[in-house]
Amino acid sequence: MAIVVNLDVMMAKRRISSGELASMIGLTQANLSILKTGKARAIRFSTLEAICKILKCQPGDILEYKEINEYE
């Protein structure tokens, strides 16, 4: 996938656990785990906004585009 999720990096920088973040933004730990591992196919803007508010970061700190070479 060309979109890389760096949520775990931001959580480590802010010293917040998955359980804490999930409870603060109203997600289950299972759904947060899906998001953290990059297995999610979509994210609601309201969820992204809540994550950024709690972690005091920008969406670009969490989501990153990486070009994929089809021939590798």
Side-chain angles (χ1 to χ4, degrees), residues 18-36:
S18 293
E20 289 175 301
L21 182 60
S23 122
M24 289 176 169
I25 62 175
L27 281 182
T28 65
Q29 282 188 311
N31 284 338
L32 184 62
S33 177
I34 290 168
L35 183 58
K36 279 178 42 180

Side-chain angles (χ1 to χ4, degrees), residues 7 21-22 24-28 31-36 40 42-55 57-59 62-63:
L7 182 55
L21 182 60
M24 289 176 169
I25 62 175
L27 281 182
T28 65
N31 284 338
L32 184 62
S33 177
I34 290 168
L35 183 58
K36 279 178 42 180
I43 182 172
R44 293 178 186 265
F45 281 151
S46 58
T47 302
L48 183 59
E49 180 182 357
I51 291 170
C52 289
K53 183 176 182 179
I54 298 299
L55 297 179
C57 66
Q58 294 296 312
I62 297 170
L63 303 174

